Each structure stands twice: as structure tokens, then as C-alpha cells.
Amino acid sequence: MTSVVKNDALVVFTPSGKRGRFALGTPILQAARSLGVDIDSVCGGRAICGRCQIEVAQGEFAKHGISSSTNSVTPAGEAEGRFATRRGLDEGRRLSCQALLNSDVVIDVPASSQVHHQVVRKPHEAYDIVIDPVVRSHFVEVSEPDMHEAMGDVERLRRALREQWELQDVTCDLFVAQKLQAALKVGKRQVTVAVRNENQIVAVWPGLKTRLFGIAVDVGSTTIAAHLCDLTSGEVLSSAGIMNPQIRFGEDLMSRVSYIMMNAGGEEELIKSIRKALNELVVSVAEQADVSIDDVLEMTVVGNPIMQHLVLGLNPVELGTAPFALATDNSVDVLASEIGIQINAGGHVYALPCIAGHVGADAAGVLLAEAPYKREAVSLIVDVGTNAEILLGNKQRMLAASSPTGPAFEGAQISSGQRAAPGAIERVRIDKETLEPKFKVIGSDLWSNDPDFAEQTKASGITGICGSGIIEVVAEMFLAGVLDPDGKIRPHDSIVSDCIVPDGRTSAFVLHRGQQEIRVTQNDVRAIQLAKAALHAGAKLLMEHFGVEKVDRIRLAGAFGAHIDVKYAMVLGLIPECDLEQVSSAGNAAGTGARITLLNRAARAEVEAQVRSVEKIETAIEPKFQEHFVASMSIPNGDSSTTAAQKRGRRGRRGGRRVE
Amino acid sequence: MTSVVKNDALVVFTPSGKRGRFALGTPILQAARSLGVDIDSVCGGRAICGRCQIEVAQGEFAKHGISSSTNSVTPAGEAEGRFATRRGLDEGRRLSCQALLNSDVVIDVPASSQVHHQVVRKPHEAYDIVIDPVVRSHFVEVSEPDMHEAMGDVERLRRALREQWELQDVTCDLFVAQKLQAALKVGKRQVTVAVRNENQIVAVWPGLKTRLFGIAVDVGSTTIAAHLCDLTSGEVLSSAGIMNPQIRFGEDLMSRVSYIMMNAGGEEELIKSIRKALNELVVSVAEQADVSIDDVLEMTVVGNPIMQHLVLGLNPVELGTAPFALATDNSVDVLASEIGIQINAGGHVYALPCIAGHVGADAAGVLLAEAPYKREAVSLIVDVGTNAEILLGNKQRMLAASSPTGPAFEGAQISSGQRAAPGAIERVRIDKETLEPKFKVIGSDLWSNDPDFAEQTKASGITGICGSGIIEVVAEMFLAGVLDPDGKIRPHDSIVSDCIVPDGRTSAFVLHRGQQEIRVTQNDVRAIQLAKAALHAGAKLLMEHFGVEKVDRIRLAGAFGAHIDVKYAMVLGLIPECDLEQVSSAGNAAGTGARITLLNRAARAEVEAQVRSVEKIETAIEPKFQEHFVASMSIPNGDSSTTAAQKRGRRGRRGGRRVE
């Protein structure tokens, strides 16, 4: 009998299930690589970055015919021990670059060790994000200069990247070349470089640098929000929001554009102001996460067309008047320093493309985050801000439009309206018998008729009605018969209730009597009617273009979408008919879009292609929009098959003359 | 009989000889284009740029069977008349975009109308330059924005370039996008853009802009020279030179590197100083040519490795000590603003690649201008500055090295040495009988024994000996027997001549007695011997590597090469043996190299490829170099086949101990 000495062994990786036989002594990392198992490494197998951690499964694996134990790989040697001492290594974890194959083994690759792992989505988000950022760090050992081989250090670095990381044809920015030799000296020829798009060296540090960061920014007209992410884990480490300082040049976008048109140097002022705010946000999120701004290598930005233009230093005046010509509808990818953003000198800003003159990069972000173009079902996605941006479509075809809702949904132009903040009424119920209202304010869980309500709201007071509150109160007024379908408040003398009071030639509904009376006037109702008519008409217009009577699902993006009770949106006719189960909030989808492009580079090409192919509908020049608009004035909604002229005769004109 | 009405005609273009039949009414420009005849146009056939001028030949052209006359094309119409009135049109010239084919015709395309015409070379230059600059201007009409077609103005511009100029996939820099809409407004949707590499829009102007400019710069340790060129005609419109202001940090390169090593912030000081000088030069050449610096779109730079590094903001300290590691040996192509050069905001700087730590981009410029790699003959090309850069080779193989000649050839380290300037002795003859010298100084054509000499040199005086003068006087001293082959000046008491005088323990040769005595000392001769030995040894080393005993031709580049009398260079043994007819000056070949890359974009790839493939020889680590050096000390040259040790025994060591 001859005894067979096996000189190879079977390795099975979980959770991928990939398997193969390798010579004894093969590093597990190498086995993983040759099987295409996704294990990260920054240091290239030198036991210093700790990215390639795995766990050796223990037990009998009947399915694979393997008995796997910690002895199936070689024990930790000196290098791994040094790493464990210096950086710590959890119980059961091994560095796959150091663990060599001893016998058949099952290896578990934890998600944190995978290069392209997914970040699990948050409640409102439509999809997981696959981590594959545009910038990655690579640790390299660069050969010593040698008079026998005349060669620049940049070229030695490029050779090292080719040989140690299989990165071909990598260019090196001049400002990196300017720092390279000093870094090589300090790092004793070992440096970490940040490589962008696998082809451009944008930063260099002496020695090992494992973590790089990025910031996703959502630039709203009112607030700017930023999220700092670890570009490797995808984790959001800190978030911050500040008021858009441009508010001092005008509350709404058009007044800011006017400011530029009326004031010499106004353009520079607005640009400077927004960039200053962005830089403050960068510092704020970086400090919160205890990260140096020099380690921030990438920023992605979404915003409406005017904000996007100003961040990029593009004059937005053309966006102020028809034909609303964008300076560019392409994405912009520039060195952060070129637009005055202070992150790493090699850091870049990627600004998502605008869809059209009224449909911004924020809508592009929503489009990417929601990806309705991946579904068979026809989605209607609405992002309500000062304008409503509306996306409609499915796998076959996508349409986009902007509808001029005005800021009523945000509580502006409403007599007691205010922004969502403690003290603002956000929920309302009206007793159908007594017409007595009750409400909740932000900052308290209690209804206003609760005995403890006064105590609980003492600090904030009851200060006004926010966007979701105004929707509810108008819807409840309609449901309680206080409003007729035309939106007229019942005359105060037609009904016995303290809540309906005379208000000039019309009536008003009193929601709260206190230090500050909060009432809903006929003008408030009209403002909401105009806003909801615009939104509904925009949706109807797109549905008509698409050729559907009914959409399969509706997603409400933005803060408005997150706080509104979809039932009331339906009662009021904000959104077209849809199975209520299929109406949901998309959260801050625009910001999510920015975050996706920060963490996944393929998403950039995706959003660019989608933005290019989406059909842009300009409501301002569509005659049917006016018809839908007029029809949508009534509550919930009228029938636009009757002609616009008839409607006008019956209900009066939009604006100007009061609808009686 | 039927009469045949011809509806096409024959067009023959000269000088290309290209010919073809075209429908009557075809614009001559269009006919030219479809035949591949090279006719320029910036405005795209709109009769406004005037670039497409042709002449209609008159007479019988038997060879072509054509009778051609001015009537063979349609007469000038309104548009052409407007052009002639506004811009002028020479007698006999027509705009080929306006002249339509009437009957058979011979069309002469003047060189100035050709896109890729050649600039005839100057006396010293090796080749003509084919004009094909990296940046070109294109006049376009951009469609009006249109709400029915949501599209950014950048994208409209790109479409116009695609449709009107067949430029595909052109990118637009952000800073151009920032200016685009304003330019479109002023230009009533007609703008001119500068397109770089046929794929990048780098500048925009309202209306028509026909002329763009570039500057070629040669950054020497001592002087910096700039030439402003019309990027279309290739013509040098103005030139200027200034002293390198870094001289205050050290006369020679190594003392500047020391300055950086010894002084905190020294690097920034030197970088700032060189860039300031470059900006002054830009202003100077632009003003001379009455050109706005905003119309300068491109700059090319050559210099030795240390200068090249400083211009690019790269720390040169590694170049101060072995192993002389370049930060990069690649060419660098950056926005001018990135290195503080003030030309158009979209202007770029192209810095030619360095060949090795001691062989700079100036040598790369020489390599490109002289193109020895295009010849079968083996060329030796020498550029003498503080170091001598030596190129040797042919089609098959090129070698490069730097040899440490020191600055003696520039008149430095010579007791009466000075830079080439009025008053400097540049020509010397010594009477073999009387040993009486005569000389010429810069600024006068007369020999010093001419009766009018004193009068003519009164203004300048006789102030010293320049580089070519020192070569001649030493060579003449040798030919007259004042020097022996070992370089020893004959003892003053061994000969009856006033011209040989005691000078410490040695003798000196008196060239001029006057207010200021000008003499050649034993030390001066030694300095020249050391310099020429280094140069000769470098050439021999490369010849040895290449495997030739004798080169076919020698080109002497730089100011030194232009002024030196090659006969004396040979007498002294500066250069290896060669047919004297085949030794010539290459002029400022480094600067020519910069100018070629300014005017011809293919030349950039060419010089990069050549620099990569040239074999770099490092004299410092070649033992044979020392042998050749020692052998080359004698006049004209010794034989290095005897061992270095023997030589040392016979002639003493290099440096340190005096050679006796």
C-alpha cells in the first residue's frame, strides 16, 4: 500500500460559495483573489492595513466534505502578531494575507472585508448601495532611485502601482508630483496614494493610510445638508445641516436671481456665500467625525438648477426667464479647489447633472436613488419644494417635469404658515359634528385636547402651521364640510360653530385661540388649491404623455413627503388616484442620490445616461397643462375632459380674480 | 446634333496637384475639402475669417487641358465684398468659401491659406516645422435655447462643433462654461472657441477671433528667453530675454539647490522668483507684438532639470546629490494658472520631459529639433552650458549623457573671463614668429591692430574674454608653441617675447595691455583643459557605448556652438575627430525644440517617445569616463587605451594637485 501525501487542499469561501483547490502554503487572500472572491486590501498583503480579515469556520461541513478548524491554516506569525498588538484583531479573526493553507478549510468573509460590499438601505431608501467609490487608497513600496536606471520618482511610483496593484496607465497630477519625493523620504519609500477612477493619482501620504472620506451634499434653497461617509465602509459618520446663507439675498430662488440681475457683483456675492457655507459644513461634519478635511477626497453635490449653477460658479440669470437655458446639463467633475471647496488638494467635486431648466440635479438624485427605470411598474415620484419636480415612468420610458406649486406646501404664503419646527401644527382632526378641531404640534405626541398638552408645549408654544399641517387642516375642513369642493369656506352665518368666523368678505376657520390665534383663511385655502392644482396637473400631464390613466405606485420625496399623511394628500387630490398601499415616502431621495454617486462610481454613468434619456416636459408651453390645472383646482379634483374654457367660466381664472 | 450641357467642371489645385470634377456652383473650399486639399478656415465658410484665400490661375494649362480665368469661378458677391471692405483682400485673391465653380479652373493655394503649412527653418535649424498647433480656434453659431428641447448651452455649443466642425466628444472646461452664456449673449449666439487637442474647449470669445498665440520659453540658469508665435502662421512675432533672477540665490545651479536645503521656504522663494520672471517675459513679448496676454493660449518650456523642476513647482533638492532622482521624467501638461503663469485662463503649459537627472528638457528640445534619430549618419550633438549635454546616435539607437564641464566655456572661472557682451574678446590670432596677439571684440569688425580699432571700441572698451575667445586664445597659444601638449605655458625666460610674463611660479600670456590688462594664466589654461577633457571624455564614452571610432557629423548647440570657430574646437580637442565640413552650429536648438512643440502637436508625442527610448549614460558611475577624462587633458587629446593609472602617473590628477 502506498500512502498518498496530498499537497493541495480545498478552500470554500462563504457566503459566496466559491471554491477551489490550492497548493498547501497558499495565502488565503491569494486563493480568494484567484477565485474572484471579493476581499479588500490596501497594503497589498503586507499585514499592515488589516482590511483582509477573515474567519476560519470550525466544524464538519458535510456538504463540502470538509472538516475545517483553526488548524486548517497556519497559525499567526510575527507580522500578524505585530498587527494584532498595534491595531487589534478580534477573536477568531485572521489576516487572510498571512494565513496560509494547511488543509481543507471553510473561510468566512465578513462584509466589512469585502471591497464591494453593500450598505444596507435606510427605511425610506429604495435600494442598497454597492460600495465602489471613485477614489481608493493603495499602499505601495517604491523602488529606490538608481543611477543605473534613470527614471523619475513619479514613474517609479507608477511602476509600483502597475506591479503591486495591476493599475495600468495611471497619471499623476502635478500637485501630487510636487509632494511625492518628500512623502517617499518620510515614508522610507513606502507611501499610500489615492487613485481616482483607477487611472489618476490625486493624493499621496507617507506610509500607510487606510481610510478616505467623502461628503455628499444636498444644496436646497433654504437648507444645505451634508453627510460625511467613510469611502470604504460606506457608513455615514456624521451629518449636518445649515440654513442657506443666500436667504439674505432673497427668500426664494427668483428673488436671488433678481438680486444678481440688479446688483453689479451680485453673482460673485451669491457664489461666495454658498461656497463659504459649504466649507463651513465640510468643517462641521469633519469635526463631528473627528476626520481631517485633508482626508476628504471627494464631494458630490445635488441641488436645484440655480443652486447647482451657483455652487459651480455658473451665472444662473438665464434660468430666471424663459427659455430657462441651463449653462450645462451635463454633470461636472472638477477639482474641489477650482470651485473654492476646501478639502484635500486632490479632492474633486462631482455635481450631478441637471435634467432641465426647472428640473435640477436634485431631481437627478431622486431619479438615481429611486431608479424607477428599473421597474416594470409605472412610478410617479414627486419631490415637493418650492417647485414640485415630477418623475413618471418605468423601464421603458421616463418623463420629467417641474410644476410651479409655489411655496405654500412649505408653509410659506399661508397666513399662519411656518417652517417645520417645534411649536408648528403638523396634525389636525376636525370633529364632523361639532367642527371642533384638535391638533398636534411638532415636539409633542399629544393631541391638543389632552390635559397634559398645554404643559408639554409650554416651551415651544403653538406658533403656526407647517406644510403637512396645512394639508391636513384643509383636507379635514373638506371632510367636515367646512369647505365645499370648490374650496369655498362655508359662510360663518350658515352654521353654528365658534370655529368659523367672518374674515372680511369671506370666512375663516379658527384652529387655535391663544396668545396667537391660528386660523385658516380663504386665501390660505386658495394658496393650497393653487399649489395642489399645479402638482396634480403636472402629474396628469406626464400621465397623459406616458399614456396611463393610473400609476402603479407613488413615491413622495423630500421632507414634505416624509411628514405628510398620504391619506390627506389623496383626499385633497395632491396626487392622482393610486392604491393607498402603493403610496410611500422616499425620504431625502435627492441626498441619497448624492450619497450613491459618492459611494459607487458606476452610479455616475448611470445617472448621466438616465438624465440624458429622460423626456423633458416643459409645463409652461404645454396647453394641456393649463386645462389640467384648472380642473385640478377643485377638491379632490375635477375632470379635465371638459374644456378649459368651460372650467374658467364655471370656476374663474387662475390668479388675479378671486375664485368665488 | 445634340449640344451637351456640362453641369460639372474640373478643378485642379496647385501646388498639391490634386484634382477632381465637381458640380457647377460648388464652393471652391468645399471642393478642396473633399479632395483633401489643405485650406484653412476659422469661420466655417461664412466669409468673415479670410483664412481660405486662394488665387485663380489664369491662362492655358495644357497639361490639364484647362483654360482657366477669373471667370472660371463666380464673381465676388455681397459677403465677400463686405470682407474686402472691412479687412482688405489683395489683388487676385478670392475667398474660396465664396467663389463658386463656373468652369474648369486651376486654383493656387498660397502657403498662408494652408492649415498645415510649413514654417521655413532659420539658418541653424535642422528641419522645417509643420504648423499643427495643439490649440485651434473655431467660429461657431450656437442654436438658440428652446423650451421644446431642454439642453444646456454647453451642449448646444458641443453640438455646433460636431455639426459645423466635425469635432466629436469635445469636453468643456468649467471655467469656459462659466463664461459661455455671457459670450453667447454678446456675440448674438456666434462665438469663437479655442479647442485643444481637438477634444477640449479651453476658451470662448464672442464673435470671431482668428488669431491665437503661444510662447516658447527656454529657461537657462543664467538667462531666460521667450518667443511669441502666431499659432496659425507659426511666425515668431517677438522675442525677449532676461537674466534669470534666481542668480541672486546662487550663480550656479548647485548653489541654488544648496540655498533651498539651507533656508526654510527657499524652495518657494526660488519657484516664485522664476515664475515672476516668466510672467514678466510673457508681458514683454506680448507688448512687443501688441498682443493681449489673454490671447496667449499655450506655452512650452525647456530647461535643465533643476530649472524645469522649479518652473513646475517641483522641489529640486534630490537633483543636488546622487542618485540625482528626478521627481518625474515625463512631460508635464498643466493649466498655466496651476503653476502661476498668467496667460489666458484656459492656457496650458507644456513642459518637455527631462531625459535624466543631469540631462534636462533642454536636451530633449535639442533632440527633437535636431532629430538625429531620423538619420542613418551617426550624429554627435553637444550643448555646452554649465554642463555639456551630449547626444549621440542615429536611426537605430540614441545615447545621452551629461558631462561636468563646469562654466569655463562660458568665461566663468577664467581670470579675465566674462559673458559674451560688447567689449569681450571673441577672436584671437597669435603670430607664430613674434608671438604677438591680435584680437577682435564683440561690437567691432576690426582686428586690434587696425588703426581704427581704438576708435571703434572706445564706447565698449576691452573688458575681458568671452567663451569663444578663451577657446581661440588657448588654441592659438598651442599652435604658436606658447603651450605644450600638456597645457603648460612656456617659461617666460625660455623665449624672447613681451607677451609671456612671469606669474607666480608659472607664466602667463598677455593678450592686451591697457587700462585693464587681459592675460591668460596657467590656471585659465587648466580650467579650459578640465572643461574640454570632460566634454571630450563624455563624447568618447558615448562613442564607445555606441561602438564607433568616428562620428559622421557634429552639431554644436547653444550660444557657445553659435560663436565658436569649429576649427579651434578641433585644434583644442573639445570634440572628437570629424570631417570639419560636417561640424556645424545648431543654434539655440533647445529653444527650437520648445517652439516645435508649440507649433506641432505630434512633436510632443515624438519627443516623449524619443526621450523614453534614448539610453541614458551616467558619466559619474562609468569607470571608463575617468580614463577618457584623463586622456583628454592633453592638447589636442591623448590616447585612453593606455590605462588611467599610467596617465595619472604621467600627468597628475584631475583637480586638487596642480598638473605640472
Side-chain angles (χ1 to χ4, degrees):
Chain A
M1 267 166 65
T2 55
S3 79
V4 180
V5 178
K6 271 197 189 174
N7 53 10
D8 63 4
L10 178 66
V11 186
V12 180
F13 288 95
T14 61
S16 67
K18 288 181 178 166
R19 51 191 288 154
R21 297 199 75 85
F22 293 90
L24 300 183
T26 303
I28 298 300
L29 178 61
Q30 189 185 315
R33 291 254 159 109
S34 58
L35 290 173
V37 172
D38 189 13
I39 299 187
D40 200 3
S41 172
V42 169
C43 72
R46 293 179 183 81
I48 43 182
C49 75
R51 284 286 182 78
C52 68
Q53 297 181 25
I54 46 101
E55 285 173 15
V56 178
Q58 300 188 41
E60 298 292 325
F61 293 84
K63 183 178 157 200
H64 307 299
I66 293 183
S67 168
S68 176
S69 78
T70 49
N71 295 329
S72 301
V73 297
T74 54
E78 205 181 315
E80 193 167 349
R82 252 199 319 272
F83 174 84
T85 309
R86 224 171 34 200
R87 308 261 314 267
L89 200 51
D90 285 351
E91 178 82 29
R93 286 290 179 93
R94 291 294 310 276
L95 297 183
S96 62
C97 65
Q98 301 301 310
L100 312 182
L101 189 57
N102 241 351
S103 61
D104 293 353
V105 68
V106 173
I107 298 288
D108 186 45
V109 183
S112 57
S113 296
Q114 295 169 19
V115 184
H116 298 112
H117 65 275
Q118 300 193 337
V119 172
V120 178
R121 61 176 176 268
K122 297 185 205 158
H124 290 310
E125 292 172 8
Y127 293 97
D128 289 347
I129 305 174
V130 175
I131 306 303
D132 185 16
V134 74
V135 196
R136 284 189 179 282
S137 59
H138 295 278
F139 176 83
V140 278
E141 294 193 69
V142 179
S143 61
E144 295 283 348
D146 175 0
M147 283 203 275
H148 292 92
E149 187 191 33
M151 196 180 196
D153 275 328
V154 166
E155 290 68 33
R156 287 182 192 278
L157 169 62
R158 293 175 64 203
R159 184 171 64 183
L161 284 167
R162 206 159 51 234
E163 291 174 356
Q164 295 165 39
W165 290 101
E166 288 173 22
L167 288 168
Q168 310 294 333
D169 298 323
V170 173
T171 63
C172 181
D173 285 340
L174 179 61
F175 53 81
V176 178
Q178 287 167 348
K179 292 175 191 161
L180 177 62
Q181 290 186 319
L184 287 169
K185 200 162 197 172
V186 174
K188 299 196 175 68
R189 308 297 288 182
Q190 297 188 328
V191 292
T192 302
V193 289
V195 178
R196 196 164 190 266
N197 277 320
E198 293 182 5
N199 62 18
Q200 183 190 14
I201 305 168
V202 294
V204 63
W205 297 269
L208 180 69
K209 175 117 201 156
T210 51
R211 295 179 80 195
L212 303 181
F213 304 90
I215 300 180
V217 181
D218 180 2
V219 186
S221 335
T222 311
T223 56
I224 313 175
H227 307 280
L228 182 127
C229 300
D230 181 317
L231 288 181
T232 306
S233 70
E235 207 186 329
V236 176
L237 301 180
S238 60
S239 299
I242 53 173
M243 295 296 289
N244 188 329
Q246 293 183 334
I247 284 176
R248 70 188 153 95
F249 301 105
E251 183 84 15
D252 62 291
L253 287 169
M254 283 310 143
S255 46
R256 294 183 210 170
V257 172
S258 302
Y259 183 88
I260 294 176
M261 294 196 283
M262 311 299 281
N263 296 279
E267 181 192 352
E268 287 70 34
E269 271 184 276
L270 267 87
I271 290 171
K272 231 169 116 178
S273 130
I274 191 80
R275 290 178 176 174
K276 184 159 170 276
L278 288 179
N279 282 324
E280 284 168 12
L281 263 182
V282 167
V283 170
S284 163
V285 288
E287 279 179 357
Q288 264 187 63
D290 198 18
V291 159
S292 157
I293 62 169
D294 203 48
D295 294 349
V296 177
L297 266 289
E298 192 82 10
M299 179 187 276
T300 55
V301 178
V302 295
N304 61 55
I306 290 175
M307 285 306 117
Q308 204 79 351
H309 273 55
L310 287 170
V311 168
L312 294 172
L314 298 164
N315 191 325
V317 292
E318 296 292 336
L319 297 170
T321 45
F324 313 111
L326 292 164
T328 179
D329 59 42
N330 268 330
S331 64
V332 171
D333 189 344
V334 284
L335 265 181
S337 60
E338 206 183 312
I339 57 168
I341 301 297
Q342 287 146 20
I343 53 176
N344 184 291
H348 283 69
V349 173
Y350 175 80
L352 277 76
C354 290
I355 297 178
H358 278 138
V359 191
D362 43 6
V366 172
L367 182 65
L368 177 68
E370 288 292 304
Y373 47 78
K374 286 181 180 167
R375 295 173 187 260
E376 281 298 346
V378 176
S379 306
L380 172 70
I381 306 169
V382 173
D383 193 357
V384 174
T386 303
N387 288 320
E389 279 146 4
I390 309 171
L391 301 168
L392 180 107
N394 64 1
K395 258 188 185 169
Q396 275 73 46
R397 190 177 170 202
M398 283 302 307
L399 308 174
S402 167
S403 202
T405 51
F409 289 149
E410 294 183 313
Q413 295 178 353
I414 300 295
S415 59
S416 299
Q418 68 158 91
R419 295 214 183 83
I425 294 172
E426 59 164 354
R427 296 275 168 262
V428 179
R429 298 290 180 274
I430 298 175
D431 187 290
K432 290 188 179 56
E433 300 303 319
T434 64
L435 303 189
E436 216 35 65
K438 62 176 181 180
F439 53 85
K440 285 184 181 178
V441 299
I442 296 177
S444 164
D445 275 343
L446 303 178
W447 286 103
S448 54
N449 55 0
D450 190 287
D452 294 335
F453 179 79
E455 183 59 29
Q456 238 191 46
T457 57
K458 211 168 150 186
S460 65
I462 297 155
T463 49
I465 316 175
C466 71
S468 56
I470 190 76
I471 299 292
E472 290 204 7
V473 69
V474 174
E476 281 280 325
M477 282 165 73
F478 173 72
L479 292 173
V482 178
L483 281 185
D484 71 13
D486 275 355
K488 194 177 166 195
I489 299 177
R490 283 178 68 167
H492 64 98
D493 47 10
S494 73
I495 202 163
V496 184
S497 164
D498 288 353
C499 300
I500 301 183
V501 297
D503 185 26
R505 287 169 56 206
T506 58
S507 304
F509 182 76
V510 180
L511 197 48
H512 174 63
R513 289 192 170 84
Q515 265 192 314
Q516 191 187 347
E517 191 188 73
I518 296 174
R519 49 165 69 185
V520 179
T521 67
Q522 185 64 59
N523 274 344
D524 294 344
V525 175
R526 292 296 178 234
I528 289 299
Q529 276 181 288
L530 288 169
K532 80 106 190 171
L535 178 53
H536 188 260
K540 288 301 272 186
L541 184 73
L542 292 196
M543 288 166 70
E544 204 169 68
H545 271 272
F546 194 90
V548 281
E549 295 276 318
K550 194 162 176 291
V551 296
D552 298 321
R553 54 195 290 275
I554 298 179
R555 296 278 283 172
L556 302 172
F560 178 79
H563 293 109
I564 198 176
D565 183 329
V566 294
K567 189 180 73 199
Y568 290 106
M570 203 76 94
V571 165
L572 216 53
L574 255 73
I575 49 176
E577 242 182 286
C578 181
D579 182 353
L580 210 58
E581 298 257 299
Q582 294 302 319
V583 183
S584 55
S585 164
N588 176 15
T592 302
R595 199 156 53 86
I596 294 172
T597 57
L598 184 67
L599 297 176
N600 182 293
R601 63 204 188 101
R604 299 185 180 190
E606 181 176 328
V607 71
E608 289 158 16
Q610 290 299 331
V611 163
R612 246 192 311 279
S613 68
V614 69
E615 297 169 45
K616 293 94 185 170
I617 310 294
E618 180 54 69
T619 52
I621 53 169
E622 289 272 344
K624 283 290 259 179
F625 178 74
Q626 277 305 320
E627 288 180 35
H628 289 303
F629 182 85
V630 172
S632 302
M633 279 294 287
S634 62
I635 300 172
N637 287 296
D639 178 1
S640 61
S641 61
T642 10
T643 72
Q646 286 174 303
K647 301 278 165 168
R648 267 200 298 277
R650 217 166 67 214
R651 292 200 179 84
R653 278 173 219 283
R654 178 189 180 188
R657 195 149 65 84
R658 173 87 44 92
V659 180
E660 292 295 340
Chain B
M1 269 164 63
T2 54
S3 79
V4 180
V5 179
K6 273 199 188 169
N7 53 12
D8 63 4
L10 178 67
V11 187
V12 180
F13 288 96
T14 61
S16 66
K18 288 180 177 167
R19 51 191 289 154
R21 300 199 72 85
F22 294 90
L24 300 184
T26 303
I28 298 301
L29 177 62
Q30 189 185 315
R33 292 255 159 111
S34 57
L35 289 173
V37 172
D38 189 13
I39 299 187
D40 200 4
S41 172
V42 169
C43 71
R46 293 178 182 83
I48 43 181
C49 75
R51 284 285 182 77
C52 68
Q53 296 181 25
I54 46 97
E55 285 174 16
V56 178
Q58 299 187 41
E60 299 291 327
F61 293 84
K63 182 179 154 201
H64 308 298
I66 293 183
S67 168
S68 176
S69 78
T70 49
N71 296 329
S72 301
V73 298
T74 55
E78 205 182 315
E80 194 168 347
R82 250 196 326 268
F83 175 85
T85 310
R86 222 171 37 200
R87 308 259 317 266
L89 199 52
D90 284 352
E91 179 83 29
R93 287 289 179 93
R94 292 295 309 278
L95 297 183
S96 62
C97 65
Q98 302 298 310
L100 312 182
L101 188 58
N102 240 350
S103 61
D104 293 353
V105 68
V106 174
I107 299 288
D108 186 47
V109 183
S112 57
S113 297
Q114 295 168 18
V115 184
H116 298 113
H117 65 275
Q118 300 193 337
V119 173
V120 178
R121 62 175 174 270
K122 297 185 206 158
H124 290 310
E125 293 173 6
Y127 295 97
D128 289 347
I129 305 175
V130 175
I131 305 303
D132 185 17
V134 74
V135 196
R136 285 189 178 281
S137 60
H138 295 277
F139 177 83
V140 278
E141 293 192 71
V142 179
S143 61
E144 295 283 348
D146 176 0
M147 283 202 275
H148 293 91
E149 187 191 33
M151 195 179 196
D153 274 328
V154 167
E155 290 69 32
R156 289 182 191 278
L157 169 62
R158 294 175 63 203
R159 184 171 64 182
L161 283 168
R162 207 158 52 234
E163 291 175 356
Q164 295 165 40
W165 289 101
E166 288 172 22
L167 289 168
Q168 310 293 333
D169 298 323
V170 172
T171 62
C172 181
D173 285 340
L174 179 61
F175 52 82
V176 178
Q178 287 167 346
K179 291 175 190 161
L180 177 61
Q181 290 186 318
L184 287 169
K185 200 162 198 172
V186 174
K188 298 197 177 68
R189 308 297 288 181
Q190 296 187 330
V191 293
T192 302
V193 289
V195 178
R196 195 162 190 266
N197 277 321
E198 294 183 5
N199 62 18
Q200 183 191 15
I201 305 169
V202 294
V204 62
W205 298 270
L208 180 70
K209 175 117 202 156
T210 52
R211 295 179 82 196
L212 302 181
F213 305 91
I215 300 179
V217 182
D218 180 2
V219 186
S221 333
T222 311
T223 56
I224 313 176
H227 307 281
L228 182 127
C229 299
D230 181 317
L231 288 181
T232 305
S233 71
E235 207 185 331
V236 176
L237 301 180
S238 60
S239 299
I242 53 171
M243 294 297 287
N244 188 328
Q246 292 182 335
I247 284 175
R248 69 188 153 95
F249 302 104
E251 182 86 12
D252 63 291
L253 287 169
M254 283 310 143
S255 47
R256 294 182 208 168
V257 173
S258 302
Y259 183 88
I260 294 176
M261 293 196 283
M262 310 299 282
N263 296 277
E267 181 192 352
E268 287 70 33
E269 271 185 277
L270 266 87
I271 290 172
K272 229 169 120 179
S273 132
I274 192 81
R275 290 177 177 174
K276 184 159 170 278
L278 288 178
N279 282 325
E280 284 168 12
L281 264 182
V282 167
V283 170
S284 162
V285 288
E287 278 180 356
Q288 264 187 63
D290 197 18
V291 159
S292 157
I293 61 168
D294 203 48
D295 294 349
V296 177
L297 266 290
E298 192 83 10
M299 180 187 276
T300 56
V301 179
V302 295
N304 61 54
I306 290 175
M307 285 306 117
Q308 204 78 352
H309 273 55
L310 287 170
V311 168
L312 294 172
L314 298 164
N315 192 324
V317 292
E318 296 292 337
L319 297 171
T321 44
F324 314 111
L326 292 163
T328 178
D329 59 40
N330 268 331
S331 65
V332 171
D333 189 345
V334 283
L335 264 182
S337 60
E338 206 183 313
I339 57 169
I341 301 296
Q342 287 147 19
I343 54 176
N344 184 291
H348 283 69
V349 172
Y350 175 79
L352 276 76
C354 290
I355 297 178
H358 278 138
V359 191
D362 43 4
V366 172
L367 182 65
L368 176 68
E370 288 292 304
Y373 48 79
K374 287 181 179 167
R375 296 173 187 261
E376 280 299 346
V378 176
S379 306
L380 172 71
I381 306 170
V382 173
D383 193 357
V384 174
T386 302
N387 289 321
E389 278 145 5
I390 309 171
L391 302 168
L392 179 104
N394 63 3
K395 258 188 185 167
Q396 276 73 46
R397 191 177 168 201
M398 282 301 308
L399 307 174
S402 167
S403 202
T405 52
F409 289 149
E410 294 182 312
Q413 295 178 354
I414 300 295
S415 60
S416 299
Q418 70 158 92
R419 293 214 184 83
I425 294 173
E426 58 164 354
R427 296 275 166 262
V428 179
R429 296 291 180 274
I430 299 174
D431 188 289
K432 287 187 182 53
E433 299 303 318
T434 65
L435 303 189
E436 215 36 64
K438 63 176 181 179
F439 55 83
K440 285 184 180 177
V441 299
I442 296 178
S444 165
D445 275 341
L446 305 178
W447 285 105
S448 55
N449 56 359
D450 190 287
D452 294 336
F453 178 79
E455 182 61 27
Q456 240 193 42
T457 57
K458 211 166 150 185
S460 66
I462 298 156
T463 48
I465 317 175
C466 71
S468 56
I470 190 77
I471 299 293
E472 290 202 7
V473 69
V474 174
E476 282 280 323
M477 283 164 73
F478 172 72
L479 292 173
V482 177
L483 281 185
D484 70 15
D486 275 355
K488 192 175 167 199
I489 299 177
R490 284 178 67 165
H492 63 98
D493 46 11
S494 72
I495 200 164
V496 184
S497 165
D498 288 354
C499 299
I500 300 183
V501 296
D503 186 26
R505 287 170 52 205
T506 59
S507 305
F509 181 76
V510 179
L511 197 48
H512 173 63
R513 289 196 168 81
Q515 266 192 312
Q516 191 186 347
E517 191 188 74
I518 297 173
R519 49 164 70 182
V520 179
T521 67
Q522 185 63 60
N523 275 344
D524 293 344
V525 175
R526 293 294 179 234
I528 289 298
Q529 275 181 288
L530 287 169
K532 79 108 192 170
L535 178 53
H536 188 260
K540 289 300 274 187
L541 184 72
L542 293 195
M543 288 166 69
E544 205 169 68
H545 271 272
F546 193 91
V548 281
E549 294 277 315
K550 195 164 177 291
V551 297
D552 299 321
R553 55 195 290 273
I554 297 179
R555 295 278 284 172
L556 302 171
F560 178 80
H563 294 108
I564 198 175
D565 184 327
V566 294
K567 190 181 71 199
Y568 290 106
M570 203 76 93
V571 165
L572 215 51
L574 255 71
I575 48 177
E577 240 184 287
C578 181
D579 182 352
L580 210 58
E581 299 256 300
Q582 295 302 320
V583 184
S584 56
S585 163
N588 176 17
T592 302
R595 198 156 54 85
I596 294 172
T597 56
L598 185 67
L599 297 175
N600 183 292
R601 63 203 187 103
R604 300 185 179 190
E606 182 176 326
V607 71
E608 289 158 16
Q610 291 299 332
V611 163
R612 246 192 311 279
S613 68
V614 70
E615 296 168 45
K616 292 93 186 172
I617 310 293
E618 180 56 68
T619 52
I621 53 170
E622 290 273 345
K624 282 289 257 179
F625 178 74
Q626 279 304 321
E627 290 181 33
H628 289 303
F629 183 85
V630 172
S632 302
M633 279 294 286
S634 61
I635 302 172
N637 288 297
D639 179 1
S640 59
S641 61
T642 9
T643 70
Q646 288 174 301
K647 300 277 167 169
R648 267 200 300 275
R650 216 164 67 215
R651 291 200 182 84
R653 278 172 218 280
R654 181 193 180 189
R657 196 147 65 84
R658 174 87 43 94
V659 181
E660 292 295 341

